[in-house]
Amino acid sequence: MSATARETGTGPGATPPDVVPGEPEEVVPGEPEDGPRPGRLPRRLPTLPPAARAHARAYLPPLALYGVTKLVGLSVFAVLLEAAGDYRHRPPRFGGGAHWWDVLGTWDGWWYLQVAQNGYEPRLAALPPGGVFTVQQNSVAYFPLYPALIRLVSRLTGLGPYGSAMTVSVVASFVAAAGIFAVVRLLAGARAGTVAAGLWAVAPGAGVEWAVYSESLYVALAAWTCYLVMTRRWAAAGVVALLAGLNRPTSAALIGAVGLAALVTLARPRARREHGIRGPVLAMVLAPLGLLGYIAWVGLSTGEPGAYFILQREGWAHYFDFGSYTLHVLGNLAVGRHDYLFAFGFPDVLSVQLVLALPFLITLMLRRRPPLVLVAYTLASVVAVLGTQQMFGNTMRYLLPVFPLLLAPAAALGRLKWPSLAVFFTTAAVASGWYAHYVIFELGIP
């Protein structure tokens, strides 16, 4: 028999092209076992191309490590909550509830659920003078993308607001872990990318990843924006950055990083030839539209152009002060005092340790020469966090989106054998139930 006949399955004894040698043929119910009736094709389930299957399989280890690590940390958190029992005596809005999991939907989570259920009522209402806050807090301080997804999931699934919010957060956290893996894999290999996904699960402040908070969604958008810029998908990067601008005000750091990377690309003739002009320009134009559009909407809705910033400053005491508040807190904690606004013991001490580690982490990251978009995003995010007056104990949460800081530790830990990594992540997962969950939700205000 000729080679052509064997390949096409036309010769005697040849294997039919739809049959894999060594595997049984699919028998269609209601048809003879010796094959389908003439004129009918056998029904086959659609499958992904081999390349797509291999690509998808690459994400299984980091997502499995992330999920297991988060489950362990959350379980320890639940045990600690039940052991203390303090949450049962607190208002449902401020860290309390009938069940331990209700705690995950309090504080900022309460605001997001209100927006998802009732929408916005934009206004600036003055409070009596003499207090810390001079303007009544309003839901427009919380950006719309996360509550919009909560409402969408609720309508599609029939889940209540809390269940829908947790669904959005958990799914987004896995998308974020996949994005972190994708970015780190490009720079340090798949093993380091897997470790980075696991490190993000146990990072300080990681307790809000599986809570009614918008951090997981923002990190998912930020990580994939950076990945798209690194892989020269400029227009897509601009669209995803636009969505990030509808999710959190800190997206300004991401938007600036995308714009700077695009400008540098356009300024270099060789890079301009490789990337083209249209893509980087589109990214620069699209990226800021979400953030600027929402802030403009708040101004128009309240009749005050700077309403969003007034509300942040006068209603939450959050504003950029070039680091004055951070230095004041560090000075107080250095001598064992708590003479500063929003003082909380354990969260503040842990946040100090993280702040002191930042120069080391940034230096290690820069030594690996990451792309400009990662450098700009990291530095702008750190400056925004340390240069703003806000609850210092939440510095752990505010720095959670700065995932490029995981690059160097992940590359170093990636050299260990898996038994050693298993011990590390088991220990870290258990400990994270306290420092990344309990400290934030029970010993401070997340």
Side-chain angles (χ1 to χ4, degrees), residues 8-9 15-21 23-26 36 41-44:
T8 59
T15 303
D18 288 333
V19 178
V20 179
E23 293 187 4
E25 292 187 60
E26 178 184 6
L41 295 175
R43 288 178 290 181
R44 300 176 63 85

Side-chain angles (χ1 to χ4, degrees), residues 2 17 20 30 73 95 110-111 138 178 200 202 232-233 238-240 250 256 285 331 335 346 361 371 375 406-407 424:
S2 66
V20 179
W110 182 86
W111 284 102
N138 187 274
W200 192 63
V202 298
R232 305 178 183 179
R233 299 178 176 112
V239 171
V240 180
T250 50
V285 172
V335 294
F346 278 111
L361 292 173
V375 174
L406 301 175
L407 172 59
F424 169 80

Side-chain angles (χ1 to χ4, degrees), residues 209-409:
E209 293 171 11
W210 287 8
V212 187
Y213 276 68
S214 64
E215 269 77 6
S216 288
L217 180 58
Y218 175 62
V219 175
L221 296 169
W224 284 108
T225 297
C226 292
Y227 178 81
L228 291 169
V229 171
M230 292 165 63
T231 54
R232 305 178 183 179
R233 299 178 176 112
W234 288 100
V239 171
V240 180
L242 183 155
L243 293 175
L246 291 171
N247 189 58
R248 290 188 66 82
T250 50
S251 61
L254 177 67
I255 294 165
V258 172
L260 180 60
L263 278 175
V264 171
T265 298
L266 293 174
R268 294 175 177 173
R270 181 177 178 180
R272 192 166 58 245
R273 287 193 300 269
E274 293 179 357
H275 294 241
I277 296 176
R278 182 183 177 185
V281 170
L282 272 175
M284 285 192 296
V285 172
L286 292 172
L289 293 182
L291 176 64
L292 296 179
Y294 180 70
I295 291 176
W297 176 82
V298 174
L300 290 172
S301 300
T302 58
E304 174 61 54
Y308 178 81
F309 302 102
I310 293 172
L311 185 61
Q312 284 289 334
R313 183 184 184 102
E314 306 298 334
W316 268 271
H318 289 184
Y319 60 92
F320 192 78
D321 66 352
F322 298 93
S324 175
Y325 172 76
T326 299
L327 291 175
H328 181 59
V329 173
L330 294 176
N332 267 266
L333 292 175
V335 294
R337 296 177 183 171
H338 295 85
D339 184 22
Y340 55 89
L341 190 64
F342 306 131
F344 295 95
F346 278 111
D348 291 350
V349 171
L350 292 180
S351 292
V352 166
Q353 295 176 6
L354 181 58
V355 169
L356 294 178
L358 283 176
F360 182 62
L361 292 173
I362 293 172
T363 301
L364 291 179
M365 182 195 71
L366 294 177
R367 282 174 58 87
R368 299 195 65 88
R369 299 183 180 276
L372 176 61
V373 65
L374 294 183
V375 174
Y377 171 65
T378 299
L379 297 181
S381 298
V382 171
V383 169
V385 171
L386 300 186
T388 299
Q389 173 178 293
Q390 48 202 353
M391 291 186 181
F392 183 79
N394 283 345
T395 300
M396 298 180 290
R397 175 165 75 89
Y398 300 143
L399 288 174
L400 184 64
V402 194
F403 68 91
L405 293 176
L406 301 175
L407 172 59

Side-chain angles (χ1 to χ4, degrees), residues 81-96:
L81 283 177
E82 292 293 347
D86 297 336
Y87 73 90
R88 300 188 185 94
H89 311 295
R90 294 176 181 169
R93 179 177 172 180
F94 303 114

Side-chain angles (χ1 to χ4, degrees), residues 56-113:
R57 281 196 298 269
Y59 285 86
L60 292 179
L63 294 183
L65 177 61
Y66 174 79
V68 172
T69 304
K70 283 300 302 177
L71 280 174
V72 172
L74 187 65
S75 299
V76 172
F77 176 50
V79 170
L80 293 175
L81 283 177
E82 292 293 347
D86 297 336
Y87 73 90
R88 300 188 185 94
H89 311 295
R90 294 176 181 169
R93 179 177 172 180
F94 303 114
H99 310 284
W100 69 264
W101 55 83
D102 293 330
V103 175
L104 300 172
T106 59
W107 301 109
D108 283 7
W110 182 86
W111 284 102
Y112 282 121
L113 293 175

